[in-house]
Amino acid sequence: MDLAFFGVQLLNGLQYGLLLFLIASGLTLIFGIMGIINLAHGAMYMIGAYLVWDLTLRLGNFWLAIAVAIPIAVALGLVIERLFLDTLYKRDHLYQVLLTFGLILVINEAQRIIWGGDVHSVAIPAPFDASLQLTDNLQYSVYRLFVMGVCLALAGVIYWVIRHTRLGIIIRAGAVNRDMVEGLGINVRTLFTLIFSVGVALTAFAGMIAAPLTSITPGMGDSILITCFVVVVIGGIGSIKGAFWGAILIGMAETFGSVLIPSIASMVIYLIMAAVLLVKPRGLFA
C-alpha cells in the first residue's frame, strides 16, 4: 500500500465514520436518554434515502429535495413517538424490542408498496460532481469531502447544544434522573418527543446525503443499524463524544479491514467491540 492509496483509504474511513456518527448520535440519544431500544432506527436511514430520491425526481433539485424531506422526517419521528413509544417508557425493554421490530417490518413493507423493490441511485449534485486529482491514477470525490464537512459541522453543533445550552443541560439531567427533572417543573414528555424527532431526522439526513454515494435498496437500513449499535456500545451509551470517536474507530476499521484483511473484514468491528468491553465494560466515554 503506497502513501497515496493509504491516504485515499484514510479519507474513505473518515467519511464513512462521520456518516456513522450522524446515525449513531440519534441512536445514542434515544437509547441513552429515553431508555428506548429502537430497532427501527436503521429504517429511518432507508426512508431518508428513498425520500431524497423520490423528491429529487419530482422537484428536479437535490438540495430542494433535502429541504422538503427533513421536515417530513421530523414529522415521522413525532408520529412514531406519540403513537407507539409513548406507552413504553416505563415498560420492560422486551416490549420496546418487539414493537420496534414490528415497526421495521411495517416500514419495509410500506417502502415496497410506495417505491417498489427496484434499486435506485441519485446523481451527485452539479457543484460537487468532480474529483480531486491526487496522483496520476488516483482521484477523490469532491462530494465525499463535502459530506465529511457537513458531518463535522453537525457534530460541532450537536456537541455545542449538549454541552453549552440550557436544552443540553436539561437533556443531560434527564439522562441522569428524569424524575428529578420532572420534579423541577420541566416537561420531560415534550423533551422525549423532541429528542426522538431530532434523532430520526439526523438518521434520515444521513441517508439523504449518502444517497448519491450508494445504491438505494429495500432494507438498506438493517445492516447499518447493527453497525451503529456497535458504535454506541463502544463509545458508551448516551455519550455523544463516545458516539463520535466510536464511529471514527469503526469507520476506519471497516475501511482498512476490507482492504488489508478481506477474509475476516466482517468480524473486525465485533473483535474491536469485544476488546473495548473487556477493558471498559461501559464503553470508552460512558
Side-chain angles (χ1 to χ4, degrees), residues 233-234 249 270-286:
V233 170
I234 288 175
L249 177 61
Y270 305 108
L271 293 174
I272 292 174
M273 181 176 69
V276 169
L277 293 181
L278 282 173
V279 179
K280 300 197 73 174
R282 297 181 59 212
L284 295 175
F285 300 97

Side-chain angles (χ1 to χ4, degrees), residues 25-259:
S25 59
L27 185 62
T28 198
L29 284 173
I30 293 168
F31 191 15
I33 295 172
M34 300 171 61
I36 293 289
I37 301 176
N38 182 22
L39 297 185
H41 197 74
M44 301 300 107
Y45 173 80
M46 176 189 70
I47 291 298
Y50 271 98
L51 275 176
V52 83
W53 166 75
D54 188 316
L55 291 170
T56 299
L57 290 180
R58 294 175 186 273
L59 303 174
N61 186 285
F62 177 75
W63 308 113
L64 183 58
I66 287 182
V68 174
I70 289 175
I72 295 175
V74 172
L76 179 61
L78 189 149
V79 169
I80 290 174
E81 196 275 339
R82 288 285 179 172
L83 291 183
F84 300 106
L85 301 181
D86 184 37
T87 60
L88 297 182
Y89 292 124
K90 295 183 179 180
R91 294 195 180 188
D92 188 84
H93 287 314
L94 177 60
Y95 291 94
Q96 302 168 10
V97 169
L98 292 174
L99 187 141
T100 54
F101 180 74
L103 282 176
I104 293 176
L105 303 179
V106 171
I107 292 171
N108 285 345
E109 191 59 33
Q111 172 271 312
R112 289 185 177 90
I113 293 171
I114 297 170
W115 292 298
D118 295 333
V119 177
H120 302 287
S121 62
V122 175
I124 294 175
F128 302 100
D129 190 12
S131 298
L132 294 178
Q133 194 73 36
L134 300 180
T135 66
D136 292 338
N137 56 358
L138 279 179
Q139 297 178 326
Y140 198 78
S141 168
V142 173
Y143 184 73
R144 287 184 179 273
L145 294 174
F146 168 75
V147 169
M148 290 165 58
V150 170
C151 293
L152 279 172
L154 282 174
V157 169
I158 293 169
Y159 181 80
W160 178 78
V161 169
I162 295 295
R163 301 299 303 181
H164 300 291
T165 67
R166 176 178 171 78
L167 176 61
I169 292 171
I170 295 171
I171 289 173
R172 285 184 282 128
V176 175
N177 192 327
R178 71 185 67 174
D179 293 330
M180 180 61 73
V181 171
E182 284 183 331
L184 293 171
I186 294 169
N187 191 333
V188 174
R189 178 74 184 75
T190 302
L191 176 66
F192 281 4
T193 301
L194 172 66
I195 291 171
F196 190 84
S197 298
V198 169
V200 167
L202 285 171
T203 304
F205 180 70
M208 294 172 201
I209 62 174
L213 300 176
T214 186
S215 297
I216 302 172
T217 59
M220 62 186 290
D222 296 346
S223 59
I224 205 79
L225 172 70
I226 298 171
T227 304
C228 285
F229 265 116
V230 171
V231 168
V232 170
V233 170
I234 288 175
I237 294 171
S239 171
I240 293 296
K241 181 180 178 181
F244 181 84
W245 290 112
I248 297 298
L249 177 61
I250 292 302
M252 292 295 181
E254 282 208 10
T255 300
F256 282 98
S258 60
V259 173

